[in-house]
Amino acid sequence: MASLIFLRSIRKTNKLLPFTYPISIINSYFLSSLCHQTDPQPQPSSQPPPVAKKVPFKVSAHGASWEDSYHWMSNTNDPDFLKHLHHENAYSEAFMADTRNLQQNLFSEMISRLPGQISTPPERWGPWLYYQYIPEEKEYPILCRKLAIENTNWVKRVINYPTIRSSNEQILLDWNEIAKEHGYVHVGTCRVSPDHNFLAYTIDVTGEEHFLLQVKDLQSGTHIPSIRVENVVSLAWAQDSHTLFYTLCDQTQRPYRVQYTTLGSDHVMVYTENDPSFCVDITSTKDGKFITVNSNTRTSSEVYIIDANNPQDGLQKVHTRVSGVQFFLEHHKGFFYILTNASQKELFDANYYLARCHVNDIHLANWQKIIIPSKGSGIQDMDIFDEHIVLYLNKKDSPVICSIKMPIQSNDEKEMGIDDLDPWYFPFPSNSCSVLPGSNHDFMNSVYRVVLSSPVMPDLIVDYDMSRRTLSIVHQEEVSGVSSNEEHEWLNVSETYSCERKEVISHDGTLIPLTILYSHKTHKRGESCGILHGYGSYGEVLDKSWCSDRFSLLDRGWVVAFADVRGGGGGGGDDVSWHKRGSGMNKLNSIYDFVSCGEYLIKEGYVCKNQLGAIGHSAGGFLVAAAINMNPELFRAVILKVPFVDVCNTLLDPSLPLTLLDYEEFGNPQKELDFNLIMKYSPYDNIRRGVCYPSMLVTSSFHDSRVGVWEGVKYVSRVRERTCANCSRLVILKTNMSGGHFGEGGRFGHCEEMAYDYAFLMKVMGQFS
């Protein structure tokens, strides 16, 4: 697909300094002069929390200076730092000791909802059927294939794999074997060669996201020893199935260079991006005839093409970079189809449209606009096939996908809208929140696979036959006690659990989407506990897909809510605008939006006052931590997962991984205007003195290359130093000493982590059962 999403740095933030211009503190119905300690409190550990040492260190910027006495923690080789992490882990273990039985009960509940054997339906690509499955009692998947047979009964049976094993099955890659050897595994990218004889893939076995490229000969089952390249991100095969292109990262983990190797020969440099604010990505067009090299930021791009049949011929530039303009390119029978927001005069326009040009005439002036989105919607993405093009559209209340017959018969006299081209809009369940494409590798296929999901609908795999304009349900996770839709027989749990979508008025009158999930049976209006999820960065849509783990909260009467604040995606018809209105100089909007959604849950009786929690991962941790500084009494408990909370100090250090790429999202503190704004919301720099803060579970990972392990440690140390001494005893820090930003463990490890998180929430909320 011509994705509009490029490398995400995934960050976060929190704090307040005496010389800065702090966020105005909200005085409202939700603030109280009473300490949280007046409410029944959980019993903290009998041992006192660790106290980190303080080392004087002065930070200066734009004529201002301040002390950061925990700066020393950024030296992760300091023995005192390692000792402190072990003390924090010991305190967390002691704090959570009385929840061990609860954790085990929650874990048992969660794994009981998982199918014993998990598999994906086979997907045909050329002569092969590719699929994955997780063996019983195993954590990770296995990638397999089998030669396709015309007998479709096998295809139907393999959906329930591995109840039926086949001697003809070929195992391509076993995550479990890699994890067994190294103790950790993260597979980044997998690419099968056009002749299906080689598998190129990247793996990280440390958690630091330093991915190693390897190539496996699928005929012999052995790896090619001359191809072991470190720090590889994206891959693309040429048509000869022996020339492999790949991107390399620099010391800040920015993909900056394109190289290729012909299997068994030297590695040749093709392109180097010298601008540190741009990342390089490569991909093949769906028909495999071209390789695209896209050098981009989140708002601008420059595109080159390589003839995949003559890969040594070098690069051809499609268009030079223009600030605010992006290009995403596909090929179809002699024409390039380009998804872009460039006008004919190269003026910035937020709306993406589809243009077309002949492969021998790629100058912008000769591009023909063929599809213009209608008012109130936009084109987010495209996928292209021999006989159809698939368009992903964004409309206010729900995602939309349509297919249009190819080649498009355009009208040279006027620009056409989508509805002028006899589109087929894919039927979706009305409560669908998440729409993700399947692999859809086969250019010649007329069937398009989609994964649909919502908080009340288990993941549903649907094949849409674009020629016949019919759909068929391929697979859906089995869940007991659910209702079905008689027309299409997709399952949901909406009779037991309510999923409501509300619009919350933020501080400036903007309507913020809020999704609220609760049980009809156990929810008690005005009395229930609740947890509010948020992210709000990089234009990413907050994940609201099916997760059976949530039933362990919902069945106990909890509310689970999702705030689609500005800065993320999913805020209406124009995701680009929604992102911009919560990034850079508008970043404060994200925080105000999140606080407004929390207040709404209490005011409308969904959640009891003093019983609201919040959770944020990575950049979502910045959001939650900044909201705490703005309104600390709104939340009773929070979970900050690998949170980006030391925003200003991190962005002031361009040598750290991904920092330069985050200037677009959070601003560049080297610029005084940006610096002043960042210091208003940076969580670590705005922790309030002598004020009651929520109970907190903060997690960090020692090998995290996106958010330094020291950020969460510094944050917890300053929270304990500055805030109410009684409340700060309910703040724990848990550091994974072996994992990276995305943690470790497969499906069982995930359940174990969620059981720990939920047990923490139940303990500090006084719902210890």
Side-chain angles (χ1 to χ4, degrees):
M1 297 180 68
S3 177
L4 298 185
I5 300 174
F6 89 117
L7 178 72
R8 302 296 185 187
S9 53
I10 309 182
R11 302 269 201 178
K12 22 277 174 206
T13 216
N14 177 319
K15 178 181 173 190
L16 162 99
L17 298 180
F19 66 88
T20 64
Y21 312 97
I23 299 172
S24 58
I25 304 304
I26 295 179
N27 295 307
S28 72
Y29 157 82
F30 301 94
L31 288 180
S32 168
S33 61
L34 297 178
C35 173
H36 284 168
Q37 295 297 328
T38 61
D39 299 323
Q41 293 293 307
Q43 184 65 36
S45 170
S46 58
Q47 67 186 63
V51 178
K53 74 176 184 181
K54 300 173 68 175
V55 178
F57 183 84
K58 181 171 288 188
V59 186
S60 300
H62 305 290
S65 298
W66 64 97
E67 282 291 327
D68 182 9
S69 55
Y70 300 116
H71 173 81
W72 66 274
M73 293 180 174
S74 59
N75 177 11
T76 57
N77 294 318
D78 189 327
D80 286 345
F81 182 65
L82 294 173
K83 184 178 179 180
H84 182 72
L85 290 182
H86 289 302
H87 286 166
E88 289 284 7
N89 279 348
Y91 182 73
S92 297
E93 184 177 358
F95 182 91
M96 294 293 288
D98 58 352
T99 70
R100 286 172 185 159
N101 289 338
L102 175 59
Q103 289 181 55
Q104 184 56 50
N105 291 338
L106 291 166
F107 177 75
S108 298
E109 292 173 12
M110 292 173 185
I111 62 173
S112 70
R113 302 186 191 104
L114 297 177
Q117 300 158 347
I118 300 175
S119 65
T120 63
E123 190 163 347
R124 184 161 184 165
W125 181 22
W128 294 93
L129 291 164
Y130 289 86
Y131 54 96
Q132 295 182 57
Y133 75 96
I134 302 178
E136 193 169 1
E137 304 300 326
K138 295 291 186 178
E139 287 269 8
Y140 301 100
I142 297 176
L143 175 62
C144 304
R145 72 179 181 183
K146 177 183 172 71
L147 277 172
I149 355 176
E150 293 306 318
N151 182 356
T152 59
N153 288 333
W154 182 87
V155 176
K156 293 178 180 178
R157 292 199 305 270
V158 83
I159 292 173
N160 295 315
Y161 194 91
T163 55
I164 296 177
R165 296 299 302 269
S166 169
S167 60
N168 296 325
E169 176 183 274
Q170 181 182 8
I171 294 178
L172 308 185
L173 189 63
D174 187 342
W175 278 249
N176 299 282
E177 291 299 317
I178 302 172
K180 182 179 179 180
E181 179 181 355
H182 299 282
Y184 176 90
V185 60
H186 180 183
V187 177
T189 304
C190 288
R191 292 288 183 269
V192 176
S193 60
D195 64 4
H196 301 269
N197 288 333
F198 298 96
L199 173 68
Y201 65 95
T202 62
I203 57 169
D204 168 29
V205 295
T206 67
E208 296 178 341
E209 297 185 73
H210 295 155
F211 288 93
L212 171 69
L213 168 63
Q214 298 189 78
V215 176
K216 183 178 180 180
D217 185 330
L218 298 181
Q219 294 178 308
S220 67
T222 61
H223 286 82
I224 299 176
S226 61
I227 304 181
R228 287 178 61 89
V229 186
E230 297 277 359
N231 298 318
V232 171
V233 180
S234 51
L235 307 171
W237 287 98
Q239 282 288 285
D240 62 8
S241 293
H242 280 72
T243 304
L244 177 65
F245 289 81
Y246 57 90
T247 58
L248 288 174
C249 288
D250 63 14
Q251 66 274 14
T252 66
Q253 291 192 299
R254 176 181 68 97
Y256 80 111
R257 176 169 291 170
V258 178
Q259 296 190 167
Y260 76 83
T261 179
T262 300
L263 302 185
S265 68
D266 293 337
H267 298 256
V268 180
M269 192 271 288
V270 176
Y271 175 81
T272 299
E273 176 54 74
N274 295 313
D275 187 332
S277 65
F278 278 72
C279 292
V280 178
D281 184 43
I282 57 171
T283 189
S284 299
T285 56
K286 178 57 71 72
D287 62 3
K289 294 185 177 180
F290 292 90
I291 294 167
T292 63
V293 177
N294 196 327
S295 184
N296 54 28
T297 67
R298 294 183 183 88
T299 59
S300 305
S301 65
E302 184 173 63
V303 180
Y304 299 84
I305 54 173
I306 299 170
D307 185 343
N309 287 300
N310 299 286
Q312 285 80 27
D313 285 357
L315 298 169
Q316 181 182 5
K317 183 182 288 188
V318 175
H319 196 277
T320 191
R321 67 191 61 175
V322 176
S323 179
V325 174
Q326 290 188 307
F327 308 91
F328 304 93
L329 179 146
E330 267 292 355
H331 174 261
H332 186 271
K333 298 182 179 179
F335 287 89
F336 287 127
Y337 286 78
I338 305 140
L339 189 58
T340 182
N341 59 349
S343 72
Q344 297 287 18
K345 298 179 181 179
E346 294 190 317
L347 298 175
F348 176 78
D349 185 337
N351 290 322
Y352 287 82
Y353 62 88
L354 190 64
R356 181 173 64 185
C357 68
H358 197 277
V359 294
N360 296 321
D361 189 7
I362 59 177
H363 298 293
L364 178 64
N366 298 322
W367 290 6
Q368 177 190 13
K369 291 183 180 180
I370 56 173
I371 298 180
I372 304 298
S374 60
K375 185 176 181 180
S377 69
I379 304 175
Q380 287 185 308
D381 212 340
M382 68 173 172
D383 208 348
I384 205 162
F385 298 86
D386 182 56
E387 295 183 351
H388 298 88
I389 186 170
V390 176
L391 298 179
Y392 281 69
L393 311 176
N394 54 351
K395 294 190 176 182
K396 184 171 178 60
D397 293 321
S398 61
V400 176
I401 303 179
C402 70
S403 64
I404 296 171
K405 191 169 180 55
M406 292 287 282
I408 294 175
Q409 303 300 321
S410 63
N411 186 331
D412 294 334
E413 297 181 358
K414 71 182 186 74
E415 298 165 350
M416 293 184 294
I418 293 173
D419 290 336
D420 296 326
L421 298 168
D422 187 30
W424 180 45
Y425 290 96
F426 293 180
F428 291 156
S430 59
N431 58 4
S432 177
C433 288
S434 169
V435 180
L436 296 173
S439 299
N440 297 309
H441 286 300
D442 197 336
F443 176 74
M444 301 305 295
N445 204 348
S446 62
V447 176
Y448 193 76
R449 179 163 292 178
V450 173
V451 182
L452 306 177
S453 183
S454 86
V456 292
M457 185 182 70
D459 288 0
L460 178 70
I461 301 176
V462 182
D463 280 352
Y464 291 90
D465 189 320
M466 298 179 286
S467 296
R468 295 186 175 92
R469 297 195 169 188
T470 60
L471 66 86
S472 59
I473 294 175
V474 181
H475 178 65
Q476 185 171 28
E477 180 181 333
E478 294 182 6
V479 182
S480 60
V482 298
S483 58
S484 64
N485 179 300
E486 293 183 0
E487 182 180 357
H488 296 299
E489 297 182 351
W490 41 56
L491 308 178
N492 64 69
V493 295
S494 57
E495 290 187 358
T496 307
Y497 303 94
S498 175
C499 182
E500 300 179 4
R501 187 182 188 276
K502 302 293 183 180
E503 291 186 325
V504 177
I505 301 175
S506 191
H507 70 108
D508 58 358
T510 301
L511 296 178
I512 311 303
L514 177 66
T515 303
I516 306 171
L517 186 63
Y518 60 89
S519 166
H520 292 301
K521 182 178 179 180
T522 60
H523 177 251
K524 296 181 180 179
R525 191 165 187 83
E527 300 180 21
S528 287
C529 298
I531 187 77
L532 178 62
H533 292 256
Y535 188 75
S537 289
Y538 310 113
E540 293 280 4
V541 177
L542 186 61
D543 182 17
K544 298 182 285 292
S545 58
W546 171 264
C547 177
S548 62
D549 296 343
R550 298 186 193 120
F551 293 154
S552 291
L553 290 180
L554 298 173
D555 291 344
R556 288 171 169 84
W558 285 59
V559 170
V560 179
F562 306 86
D564 284 308
V565 303
R566 283 171 286 184
D574 186 353
D575 279 352
V576 175
S577 173
W578 195 253
H579 172 221
K580 289 182 177 180
R581 291 163 66 188
S583 62
M585 297 303 292
N586 298 314
K587 199 63 189 174
L588 280 171
N589 284 336
S590 302
I591 307 163
Y592 281 115
D593 294 350
F594 193 73
V595 169
S596 296
C597 288
E599 292 176 340
Y600 178 90
L601 290 171
I602 296 173
K603 190 172 183 179
E604 296 301 317
Y606 288 99
V607 177
C608 177
K609 185 181 179 182
N610 294 331
Q611 293 291 291
L612 176 63
I615 184 168
H617 292 69
S618 193
F622 149 74
L623 175 70
V624 174
I628 294 170
N629 290 336
M630 181 181 284
N631 190 344
E633 294 197 13
L634 177 59
F635 302 102
R636 176 74 174 270
V638 299
I639 298 178
L640 307 178
K641 313 282 282 186
V642 289
F644 178 44
V645 284
D646 193 12
V647 177
C648 190
N649 286 319
T650 295
L651 296 182
L652 281 170
D653 186 353
S655 69
L656 292 174
L658 306 173
T659 289
L660 294 178
L661 303 179
D662 266 344
Y663 286 167
E664 264 190 293
E665 185 67 30
F666 295 97
N668 180 0
Q670 307 290 350
K671 301 176 180 179
E672 187 170 3
L673 187 62
D674 289 6
F675 168 78
N676 290 335
L677 179 64
I678 291 168
M679 291 303 291
K680 287 184 179 182
Y681 64 67
S682 175
Y684 178 71
D685 298 301
N686 287 279
I687 297 169
R688 297 167 63 185
R689 295 182 182 272
V691 173
C692 290
Y693 265 44
S695 303
M696 294 187 195
L697 165 58
V698 181
T699 71
S700 61
S701 290
F702 193 78
H703 296 291
D704 193 336
S705 60
R706 299 189 180 220
V707 179
V709 60
W710 59 87
E711 293 211 21
V713 189
K714 289 176 65 176
Y715 176 76
V716 166
S717 299
R718 183 165 278 183
V719 166
R720 292 213 187 103
E721 174 194 351
R722 289 191 172 184
T723 65
C724 167
N726 289 331
C727 295
S728 65
R729 288 170 61 87
L730 305 179
V731 175
I732 62 174
L733 170 70
K734 184 182 181 184
T735 300
N736 182 339
M737 301 302 295
S738 60
H741 189 73
F742 299 103
E744 58 182 324
R747 53 174 179 161
F748 299 128
H750 170 78
C751 290
E752 186 175 1
E753 180 181 337
M754 293 301 294
Y756 186 95
D757 293 349
Y758 286 3
F760 170 81
L761 290 172
M762 292 176 188
K763 172 174 178 170
V764 299
M765 293 280 203
Q767 304 292 317
F768 210 163
S769 62

